[in-house]
Every structure is written in structure tokens, then in C-alpha cells.
Amino acid sequence: MILVSACLLGVCCKYNGDDNKNNNLIELMKKCTLIPVCPEQLGGLPTPRKPAEIQAENAGDVLEGRGKILNINGEDVTENFVKGAYETLKVAELFSVNYAILKSKSPSCGCGFVYDGSFSGKLKEGNGITAELLIRNGIKVYTEDDTKELQKF
Ligand code: SF4
């Protein structure tokens, strides 16, 4: 069983009400049980919602209370993002998953690179809040772009 960002499976949970459907992952459903989760919805945010980005050195700082997540209007949505991360971890633990495939670049789901907080499309090294929490709890996180690694499933 693998935890997957719900938007990658075609669920319309993206900030703009759209999805990020990925046909490789739809194909993977023939071989593995994929458990869809959307941390931002689990954290109580509506869909559609304003885009938000990490305003901190890294996701760890946010989890430890030293940084914030603001949406493009400057509203503080840190609590929703942190709650969504912990709710996602709860689902991961319920199903004893060891792996997650999460949407690249997202301030919740991104792994390796995330948007840099300037709302300009620029990236910086780092993880989203949920990816960081899952990694800290021993779950191996991939993105949909790790096509080579995903072939092992
Ligand atoms: S929080 Fe994750 S699952 Fe939800 S829309 Fe954003 S990238 Fe997709």
C-alpha cells in the first residue's frame, strides 16, 4: 500500500479546483493499492482556495513553530498545513504504509524542491510540510517525477 497525493489520481482537490492526474500512477493502481490523501483538505482548507507558500527557511522550521505558511493574500494558514500533515501521518499509520508518492513542488506534498515563498514560480531546495513530517516518521517519499524509482513498485 502506498500513500498518494489525491490530486495525482484525478481528485479535484488542487487549490484552483483542478487535479494533477498522472497516468503513470493510474496505471500503478493495477499493481498496488494507492491510498489518496490531500493534506490541505485534511487540514480544513476549502477547495478552491488561495495558493499558499512556505515563508520559512524550511518545512522543519514550520513544524517546530519557527515559520509560517501564508497564502497569496498574506493570510496565515500555518495551522491548516500542520494539521493536514498530522492527519496525513495518521492515515499513513492506520494503513502501516512505508512509501508515499506526493505531488512535486507543493508546499504540503513537495519533496526535494518547493516554491520559494515569492509566488513567482521560483523553486528552492526543501520539502513540503507533509512530506517533511512523513520523512521524519520513517516513510520514504517520492514524487511523481521519480519515474525510475517508481518502476520498482
Ligand atoms: S495538498 Fe497535496 S494532494 Fe492536496 S492538492 Fe496540494 S499537492 Fe495535491
Side-chain angles (χ1 to χ4, degrees), residues 1-5 34-35 37 88 91-92 97 99-102 134:
M1 282 190 282
I2 306 169
L3 206 67
V4 176
S5 294
L34 304 185
I35 303 164
V37 283
T88 301
V91 175
V97 306
Y99 300 101
I101 305 169
L102 302 183
L134 295 181

Side-chain angles (χ1 to χ4, degrees), residues 1-5 9 25 28-37 88-102 134 138-142 150 152-153:
M1 282 190 282
I2 306 169
L3 206 67
V4 176
S5 294
L9 297 179
L25 296 185
L28 186 61
M29 289 187 78
K30 292 177 185 162
K31 291 197 280 175
C32 305
T33 301
L34 304 185
I35 303 164
V37 283
T88 301
L89 177 62
K90 206 185 279 178
V91 175
E93 289 176 343
L94 273 175
F95 290 93
S96 301
V97 306
N98 295 315
Y99 300 101
I101 305 169
L102 302 183
L134 295 181
I139 294 168
K140 176 77 185 154
V141 176
Y142 299 99
L150 297 188
K152 75 175 185 183
F153 293 117

